[in-house]
Every structure is written in structure tokens, then in C-alpha cells.
């Protein structure tokens, strides 16, 4: 391949710039998601959140299979064509992906809609969640359109459309979801008329809340389609075009393993839904009774609290570091295709180290101050928050490993091994299933949290070993050890600051702020020293 061909593309965003754009947008999206999810949980409570989570647990595997792999597949094919200056090929890839996966999204939406009532009945033991399941069904179609468009822009190393569409999605979800939930809570008969099998206000409110998710995906799809009018693919470059059949075949063969791997990732949510409800229902007598919650409602209450509170907080940070994988994919693909080993090692190390720098202090802070944080976020659901305090602490090790696993999965795909994450996730899901069945009867919801951490520890170790074997990249472990040390110092400083604040009679909110400021200052200083050493080392080499 000639240098001229390699340089024929547009000026691209670097890995760091692209990743920062995506992480900032993901953080903003998650902040808006918290604005949506936290008040929603305070409105619905544990039982209502079990209906909401039931719908989400069915939606995510179907969405993952049809859409998650698509974005990465389009991005990889687009990046390959852009590296060769084949812009006509890129336009054909984009159109083919939209047509092919819009059909897949429509099929996924119909599948969820048809499964709404039986899934709700056989999983939850009632049809109260069926309206929520039905209302999220169209989101699969909108998600496929969004994934195709995001993959196109990411493959062109333009992360702004993805970033702005995520922000639009978060805004619509927060405002539409909460407005509809509040409106239907006051007038549940609106849902009762459409779904006669729903007879409870919490089931109607959950359906209204999850409609906000569907509208948010529709808003993101519309935003990206309109954006396409202003961001045009260059018309120059080489004229070679792949056939639509070849493009469809490569998209499918690349997207399906990634999508199946994402399904395996979401299997943990399905496993939690089935096993938590099943185990708690068979050992409900061993649990302390909760005021206002009957024995028959207890399994749903426990599961809804765990999914709506503990897992919501747990997923905040991984969803941000997931953007590192998107940012790294195009850079690592280009380096791998061009045989640039130095760039391959540099981009791989940057992605993993950045994820560790973000994940470690977050895990330390959430673990140490779980009671104060949950009490502040969920003041109207004190029973649910108390139930999830221990579970959130058990989840923190798994959170760090999950944060690092997302970039590894994208890196494996970038070097042409999209099926490896699927095998790893299936092994992790088996650990999760066995762990839940063995631990929940003895540890309650903390057992589900511990098995989640064990699952992601295994996944991270296997993914790191697989990437090293496939790519031949060797990553220095010393900087990661220093990040862990900085995290420990961060935790120590936060504990000392909180003890001093409590002795002065500070409120819980003030203690959280003071502890975060003290721990964060120590952590930033230590990590800054580490980054300066790494920069000097890079300059010498």
C-alpha cells in the first residue's frame, strides 16, 4: 500500500481527542440518565422498578443482537475504506447498513411486542410488566438506525455526531420519561384502557417511564439522519466499490459475533432477573419483612431494588469507559492494517490506562461511601437504599474489571477477532449463573453482587490474555500498579476527611463533598506525577 493511498483520507481526530469527546458526551448522557432514573426509582419504588427492569431485561438482549455489533462493524469497514481513500465504498457501506439493519430492527421490535405478555407472566408471575415491555419494543428499530449512523461517523474518526446524539437521547429520556410517568401516575386509566391486563398504578407508571426510553432513541435517530444532510462524505478518492452483497455479508459476519457477545453481556441482567426472583421466592421466609411489602411482592421488591439502584449506580462508570473502546477502535484498526506496531502498542496502553484512571477512584469512593450516597440519591426509598448498600460494595471490584474489559473487546474486534469476546462472555455468564444459584440463598442480594464481580474478574483476565496472544502487544503493568496505589491513597484521604467532618457535626451531603474533594485532590496529584513520568519516557523513546 502506498503512502499516498494511506494519506488520502480526511484529517482525523486522534484517539485521545475522539475518546475525550465520546467520554464527555457519555458522562453528560449518564448524568441525564441519572436525572431520569433516580426520580423514577423514587416514584416507582422497588416493585415498580421490577416492572421497568423486566422490560429492559428483555429489550437489551434483542437490541444488542440487532444493533450493538452493527455500530462497530460499520465503523471498522468505514475505517478500512477511509484508510485507502475509497469514499464511494464508504457511501455504499452506509446505505447498505441502514437498509439491512432497519429490517433487523423491525423484526426485533415485533419480537419484543409479541413476547410482552407471555414474558411478563412467566418471569414476573403477573402481566403487570407487559405494558412496559410493549412500549419499549419500537426502540429496537430506532436503535438500529442510530447504530448504523454512529458507526459511519466513528469510522470516519468524527465523534461529534455520536456525542451530540447521545446528549439528545439523554435530554429526551429525562424530560419525556419523567413527564409521562408523573402524568400516568395521576391518570393510570390511560394505560389501563390500552393494556387491560395491567391493573396496578405502578405497572402503568413503569410503562409510561419506559416510553421515555423509546422516544429518546427516536430522537437520537432523527438527530443523526438530519446531521447527515450537513456532514457529507468526500466525493474524491479511489473508485473501487464492493458489491452490496459483499458489504452485507461482511457487515453480518462482523456484527453478529459482536452482537452475540453483547447479548452474552446482557445475559447477566436476565440471569439476575430469573435467579433473584426464583431464589428469593423460595427462601422468602428467611428475609426480614419490609413494611408495606407483602410476601408475594418481596421477590419483585428485592430484584427491583437491586436492578434499579445497585446496578444503576454500578453501570454509571463502565458506560463512560465504554467510549474508550469506540475511540480506540478506529486508531487500532488503522495501526493494525498498516503494520504500525508502535502505534498499536501506544493506543492499546492509552485505552486501558485511561479506563483504569477513571474506574479506580470511582470504585473506591462508591464502595466507601455507599450508605451516604444512596441515602442522598434515594431519600424516598430508604428501605430499597439500605437493602442495596452491601450489594453496591460487593460490585466495585467487578466494576473496575468491566471498565477495562470494554476497551479490550473493541481492541479484539479491531485486530480481526470479533468472536473472541462472545466466547469470553459466555464463560463469564456461566460463572454468574452458578454464583447466583449458590450465593443468593446464603447471602441474599449481596450474593448476586458478588457473583457479578467474580464474573467480570474472569472476563477481564481472559480478554487481556486473548488480546496479548492475538496482537502480540505487551503492556507494562507498572503504571497500573501506581494507579491502584493512587486509588488507595485517595480512599485513605477521603476516610480521614470524613472522620474529621463527622466530628464537626457535618451533614451527610457535606461529608460526601468534603471527602470527595480531599480524596480527589490526592488522587489527581499522584496520577499527574505518573502521567508526567510516562510522557518523559515516551519522549526519550
Amino acid at each position: 500500500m502506498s503512502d499516498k493511498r494511506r494519506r488520502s483520507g480526511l484529517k482525523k481526530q486522534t484517539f485521545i481527542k475522539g475518546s475525550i469527546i465520546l467520554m464527555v458526551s457519555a458522562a453528560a448522557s449518564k448524568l441525564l440518565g441519572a436525572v431520569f432514573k433516580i426520580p423514577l426509582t423514587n416514584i416507582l419504588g422497588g416493585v415498580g422498578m421490577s416492572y421497568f427492569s423486566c422490560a429492559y431485561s428483555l429489550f437489551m438482549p434483542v437490541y444488542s443482537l440487532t444493533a450493538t455489533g452493527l455500530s462497530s462493524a460499520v465503523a471498522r469497514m468505514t475505517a478500512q475504506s477511509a484508510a485507502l481513500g475509497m469514499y464511494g465504498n464508504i457511501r455504499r457501506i452506509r446505505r447498505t447498513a441502514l437498509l439491512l439493519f432497519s429490517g433487523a430492527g423491525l423484526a426485533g421490535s415485533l419480537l419484543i411486542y409479541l413476547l410482552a405478555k407471555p414474558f411478563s407472566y412467566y418471569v414476573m408471575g403477573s402481566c403487570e410488566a407487559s405494558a412496559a415491555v410493549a412500549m419499549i419494543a419500537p426502540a429496537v428499530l430506532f436503535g438500529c438506525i442510530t447504530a448504523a449512523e454512529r458507526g459511519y461517523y466513528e469510522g470516519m474518526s468524527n465523534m461529534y455526531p455520536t456525542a451530540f446524539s447521545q446528549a439528545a437521547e439523554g435530554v429526551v429520556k429525562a424530560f419525556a420519561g419523567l413527564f409521562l410517568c408523573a402524568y400516568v401516575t395521576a391518570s393510570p386509566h390511560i394505560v389501563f384502557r390500552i393494556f387491560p391486563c395491567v391493573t396496578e398504578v405502578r405497572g402503568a407508571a413503569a410503562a409510561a417511564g419506559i416510553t421515555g426510553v423509546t422516544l429518546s432513541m427516536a430522537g437520537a435517530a432523527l438527530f443523526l439522519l438530519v446531521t447527515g444532510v450537513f456532514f457529507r462524505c468526500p466525493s474524491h478518492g479511489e473508485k473501487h466499490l464492493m458489491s452490496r452483497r459483499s458489504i452485507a455479508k461482511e457487515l453480518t459476519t462482523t456484527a453478529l459475533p459482536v452482537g452475540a457477545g453483547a447479548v452474552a453481556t446482557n445475559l447477566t441482567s436476565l440471569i439476575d432477573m430469573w435467579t433473584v426472583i426464583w431464589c428469593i421466592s423460595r427462601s422468602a421466609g428467611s428475609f426480614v419483612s419490609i413494611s408495606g411489602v407483602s410476601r408475594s411482592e418481596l421477590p419483585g421488591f428485592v430484584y427491583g431494588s437491586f436492578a434499579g439502584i445497585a446496578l444503576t449506580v454500578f453501570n454509571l462508570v463502565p458506560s463512560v469507559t465504554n467510549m474508550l473502546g469506540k475511540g480506540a477502535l478506529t486508531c487500532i484498526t488503522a495501526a493494525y492494517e498498516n503494520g504500525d506496531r508502535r502505534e498499536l502498542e501506544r493506543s492499546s496502553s492509552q485505552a486501558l490506562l485511561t479506563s483504569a484512571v477513571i474506574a479506580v477512584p470511582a470504585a473506591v469512593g462508591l464502595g466507601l461511601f455507599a450508605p451516604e450516597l444512596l441515602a442522598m440519591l434515594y431519600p424516598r426509598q430508604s428501605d430499597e437504599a439500605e437493602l442495596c448498600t452491601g450489594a453496591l460494595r460487593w460490585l466495585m471490584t467487578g466494576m473496575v474489571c468491566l471498565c477495562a474489559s470494554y476497551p479490550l473487546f473493541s481492541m479484539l474486534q479491531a485486530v480481526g477477532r470479533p468472536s473472541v469476546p462472545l466466547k469470553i462472555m459466555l464463560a463469564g455468564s456461566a460463572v454468574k449463573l452458578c454464583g447466583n444459584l449458590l450465593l443468593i440463598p446464603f447471602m441474599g442480594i449481596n450474593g448476586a453482587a458478588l457473583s457479578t464481580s467474580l464474573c467480570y474478574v474472569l472476563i477481564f483476565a481472559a480478554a487481556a490474555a486473548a488480546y496479548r496472544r492475538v496482537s502480540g502487544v505487551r503492556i507494562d503493568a507498572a503504571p497500573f500498579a501506581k494507579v491502584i496505589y493512587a486509588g488507595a491513597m485517595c480512599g485513605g484521604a477521603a476516610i480521614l476527611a470524613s472522620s474529621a467532618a463527622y466530628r464537626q457535626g457535618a451533614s451527610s451531603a457535606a461529608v460526601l463533598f468534603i471527602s470527595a474533594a480531599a480524596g480527589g485532590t490526592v488522587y489527581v496529584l499522584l496520577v499527574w506525577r505518573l502521567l508526567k513520568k510516562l510522557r518523559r519516557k515516551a519522549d526519550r523513546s
Side-chain angles (χ1 to χ4, degrees):
M1 186 188 304
S2 68
D3 290 340
K4 182 179 179 181
R5 288 172 70 184
R6 290 180 188 175
R7 292 194 299 264
S8 61
L10 295 172
K11 182 179 180 182
K12 294 177 171 58
Q13 294 162 356
T14 63
F15 159 68
I16 290 295
K17 182 178 179 181
S19 295
I20 289 174
I21 291 169
L22 290 177
M23 284 193 297
V24 169
S25 72
S29 178
K30 276 297 169 183
L31 178 62
L32 290 165
V35 170
F36 167 63
K37 202 77 174 285
I38 292 171
L40 186 72
T41 303
N42 281 313
I43 293 170
L44 297 178
V47 176
M49 282 306 296
S50 70
Y51 303 146
F52 184 96
S53 301
C54 174
Y56 228 92
S57 296
L58 177 59
F59 162 73
M60 283 307 298
V62 178
Y63 172 72
S64 298
L65 183 62
T66 55
T68 302
L70 168 62
S71 181
S72 300
V74 174
R76 189 171 191 273
M77 288 188 69
T78 301
Q80 287 175 328
S81 294
L84 300 174
M86 298 191 302
Y87 296 112
N89 209 48
I90 291 173
R91 290 190 291 273
R92 181 168 285 186
I93 290 169
R94 183 186 187 185
R95 289 193 294 266
T96 303
L98 277 172
L99 182 63
L100 178 64
F101 285 91
S102 291
L106 182 59
S109 294
L110 289 173
L111 177 65
I112 290 180
Y113 186 82
L114 294 174
L115 287 176
K117 191 170 181 179
F119 183 81
S120 174
Y121 179 79
Y122 287 108
V123 173
M124 300 297 297
S126 73
C127 292
E128 295 297 334
S130 60
V133 176
M135 294 308 295
I136 203 173
V140 178
L141 173 59
F142 299 130
C144 284
I145 296 171
T146 301
E149 288 292 282
R150 285 175 176 170
Y152 161 71
Y153 290 114
E154 289 162 15
M156 296 291 286
S157 293
N158 181 3
M159 306 303 173
Y160 286 114
T162 294
F164 288 127
S165 68
Q166 286 178 332
E169 186 177 324
V171 170
V172 174
K173 182 193 299 181
F175 287 98
L178 291 177
F179 171 78
L180 290 173
C181 185
Y183 181 75
V184 169
T185 299
S187 307
H189 60 275
I190 296 171
V191 175
F192 296 161
R193 282 201 301 264
I194 302 172
F195 299 96
C197 56
V198 177
T199 59
E200 189 181 348
V201 173
R202 288 174 293 189
I210 214 158
T211 302
V213 177
T214 298
L215 293 175
S216 71
M217 289 200 167
L222 179 62
F223 176 89
L224 286 167
L225 291 173
V226 172
T227 300
V229 176
F230 302 98
F231 288 88
R232 298 277 185 175
C233 183
S235 58
H236 63 275
E238 299 190 21
K239 300 299 182 184
H240 172 71
L241 295 176
M242 296 173 64
S243 68
R244 289 185 175 84
R245 184 187 294 265
S246 298
I247 292 171
K249 182 179 179 181
E250 186 170 344
L251 281 172
T252 304
T253 55
T254 305
L256 279 180
V258 179
V263 171
T265 302
N266 288 287
L267 280 179
T268 57
S269 298
L270 283 173
I271 288 169
D272 277 330
M273 181 170 60
W274 286 325
T275 56
V276 169
I277 291 174
W278 186 81
C279 291
I280 300 297
S281 64
R282 279 154 181 75
S283 56
S286 62
F287 283 80
V288 177
S289 60
I290 298 173
S291 176
V293 180
S294 65
R295 269 309 164 197
S296 62
E297 291 180 328
L298 184 61
F301 177 87
V302 173
Y303 165 69
S305 300
F306 180 64
I309 295 179
L311 291 182
T312 295
V313 176
F314 165 80
N315 282 316
L316 288 174
V317 181
S319 63
V320 174
T321 60
N322 185 29
M323 298 300 106
L324 286 168
K326 288 179 175 289
L329 189 143
T330 51
C331 297
I332 291 176
T333 297
Y336 187 74
E337 292 291 327
N338 294 333
D340 189 345
R341 184 174 181 81
R342 184 176 179 181
E343 177 62 23
L344 183 64
E345 291 185 350
R346 189 181 70 85
S347 296
S348 300
S349 180
Q350 281 183 343
L352 291 175
L353 187 60
T354 306
S355 67
V357 167
I358 295 171
V360 168
V364 170
L366 291 173
L368 289 176
F369 299 100
E372 293 86 353
L373 179 66
L374 295 184
M376 182 180 71
L377 293 178
Y378 302 97
R380 295 176 56 185
Q381 307 297 338
S382 56
D383 290 333
E384 291 90 333
E386 184 178 354
L387 181 68
C388 292
T389 297
L392 185 59
R393 285 172 166 163
W394 282 110
L395 285 167
M396 289 302 99
T397 302
M399 188 190 81
V400 175
C401 291
L402 180 59
C403 285
S405 297
Y406 278 141
L408 280 168
F409 286 171
S410 292
M411 289 151 60
L412 282 166
Q413 184 187 354
V415 297
R417 295 295 189 277
S419 63
V420 173
L422 170 60
K423 300 171 185 176
I424 293 172
M425 285 304 308
L426 288 175
S429 297
V431 170
K432 170 66 177 170
L433 176 61
C434 294
N436 272 20
L437 294 175
L438 291 173
L439 296 174
I440 292 175
F442 300 99
M443 298 176 63
I445 205 62
N446 291 345
L450 175 57
S451 68
T452 298
S453 284
L454 293 174
C455 164
Y456 288 124
V457 168
L458 169 68
I459 287 169
F460 168 70
Y467 184 67
R468 179 178 177 179
R469 183 177 65 254
V470 170
S471 67
V473 170
R474 293 178 179 272
I475 297 174
D476 185 9
F480 297 89
K482 291 178 181 178
V483 170
I484 294 174
Y485 169 77
M489 293 300 98
C490 165
I495 290 173
L496 291 175
S498 67
S499 298
Y502 274 126
R503 284 197 299 270
Q504 297 299 319
S507 64
S508 295
V511 168
L512 279 176
F513 177 79
I514 293 169
S515 302
T521 300
V522 171
Y523 184 77
V524 168
L525 291 174
L526 291 173
V527 169
W528 181 254
R529 288 183 58 191
L530 168 63
L531 294 178
K532 285 180 65 177
K533 290 181 180 178
L534 291 175
R535 191 178 298 114
R536 285 197 297 267
K537 182 178 178 181
D539 291 340
R540 287 196 299 269
S541 62

